[in-house]
Amino acid sequence: MSLRLQPAMVSLDIEQVSALGTHVAPGSVSFVRVSMKSLIRRAYGVEEFQIPPAAWVENRYTGRATFPKETPLDDVPRMVRTMLEERFGLRAHIESKVVRVWLLEQAPGGAKLSKPSGKPLGVPGLPLFLSQVTPGNAKRLGNSDPDKEWLLMSKGTLRTFCALLSKEAKRPVLDRTGLDGEYDVNVEVANAFRRNIPPPSMTPPMVDIPDPPLVLGPALKKLGLKFRESREPVELLIIDTPPSLRAEP
């Protein structure tokens, strides 16, 4: 496998990639201003809550790793992992640890989840191309209202929803609802404090604006769900050696 490099920085011919993000093609993985956290998720098959918090996981990189074109897509994560180890100097392993978690359970009266409608899900005030969630995925979205956000999931499982809740709750959320199948979720959630919305002159923002914490309890109640605190074994990514390659400015 090869990786195009410049001194102390991963490099990519920008003409080859038209948008931010990770792009997989036969024989290559290209990434444009992708965070180390996203690369680790792809390489190790973990969710965001399984990655330990550290400033360097938010560092962004641009590059293109190449490998034989006949490589099966299922082997791409292993190739990305090899790239992180050999070219970035990252060393990590997965280990089970007993930690504080939230258990997601059905509230009294049962869950109030919607079966997939097949219709696009979106956020009020935003065009669908900005707010639509692709099937099998879940994400947090907001519009111009600084006081609230939306949790959206299209044709996703409770495990997918728990991964989103884990990110927002800053703690692993484990599914204990006993519910199988796929669901749509479109629920309004209050911000713990008003979002700092940049003025129109700042487009795109020159600095990352952190998302406010969400008040999840009332939103879960609307869905017929609730949290229960516990301590459970959870598989976590343990960082043995952080990456040494310098990030983009």
Side-chain angles (χ1 to χ4, degrees):
M1 183 179 68
S2 65
L3 181 69
R4 304 180 68 176
L5 294 170
Q6 287 180 345
M9 185 181 294
V10 183
S11 166
L12 172 68
D13 180 356
I14 297 299
E15 293 181 355
Q16 298 181 27
V17 177
S18 59
L20 299 180
T22 305
H23 307 263
V24 180
S28 69
V29 174
S30 303
F31 44 98
V32 179
R33 291 200 56 79
V34 169
S35 69
M36 176 56 64
K37 182 188 299 180
S38 295
L39 292 172
I40 288 174
R41 286 187 60 191
R42 181 176 288 274
Y44 289 87
V46 295
E47 299 293 346
E48 188 168 327
F49 74 86
Q50 295 173 280
I51 302 172
W56 58 263
V57 302
E58 304 298 341
N59 290 345
R60 294 186 178 275
Y61 301 87
T62 294
R64 182 172 184 264
T66 60
F67 39 83
K69 286 189 176 182
E70 61 273 14
T71 302
L73 286 178
D74 289 346
D75 286 349
V76 169
R78 180 172 58 85
M79 295 293 184
V80 176
R81 181 171 177 173
T82 299
M83 176 191 72
L84 292 179
E85 292 174 350
E86 294 183 355
R87 303 304 177 91
F88 287 73
L90 176 70
R91 295 291 185 274
H93 69 278
I94 294 177
E95 184 176 312
S96 180
K97 290 191 172 186
V98 176
V99 297
R100 294 171 61 199
V101 303
W102 292 114
L103 301 180
L104 184 68
E105 301 177 334
Q106 295 191 56
K112 303 170 185 176
L113 297 171
S114 301
K115 289 293 185 180
S117 64
K119 299 179 181 179
L121 301 178
V123 169
L126 283 183
L128 277 178
F129 77 90
L130 289 178
S131 63
Q132 188 171 353
V133 180
T134 55
N137 290 290
K139 61 182 177 181
R140 166 185 177 166
L141 285 169
N143 55 18
S144 59
D145 191 325
D147 294 315
K148 58 188 177 183
E149 313 273 325
W150 281 260
L151 297 182
L152 273 68
M153 181 173 73
S154 174
K155 200 178 181 182
T157 64
L158 267 297
R159 180 176 179 179
T160 299
F161 192 49
C162 282
L164 175 62
L165 292 176
S166 298
K167 177 181 177 180
E168 300 303 335
K170 311 300 183 187
R171 188 189 300 186
V173 176
L174 306 181
D175 177 24
R176 293 294 186 269
T177 62
L179 298 173
D180 297 321
E182 297 171 333
Y183 302 91
D184 282 352
V185 172
N186 189 347
V187 63
E188 181 183 306
V189 192
N191 287 330
F193 52 81
R194 292 174 68 86
R195 173 181 287 280
N196 180 15
I197 298 179
S201 59
M202 185 185 281
T203 306
M206 299 305 293
V207 297
D208 289 332
I209 298 175
D211 292 328
L214 297 178
V215 183
L216 291 170
L220 292 180
K221 186 176 180 180
K222 296 176 187 176
L223 300 173
L225 303 171
K226 64 182 180 71
F227 276 159
R228 178 168 64 86
E229 193 171 19
S230 182
R231 292 182 63 85
E232 303 283 339
V234 176
E235 287 192 338
L236 301 173
L237 189 73
I238 307 300
I239 305 299
D240 302 308
T241 306
S244 56
L245 195 65
R246 183 169 61 88
E248 294 182 8

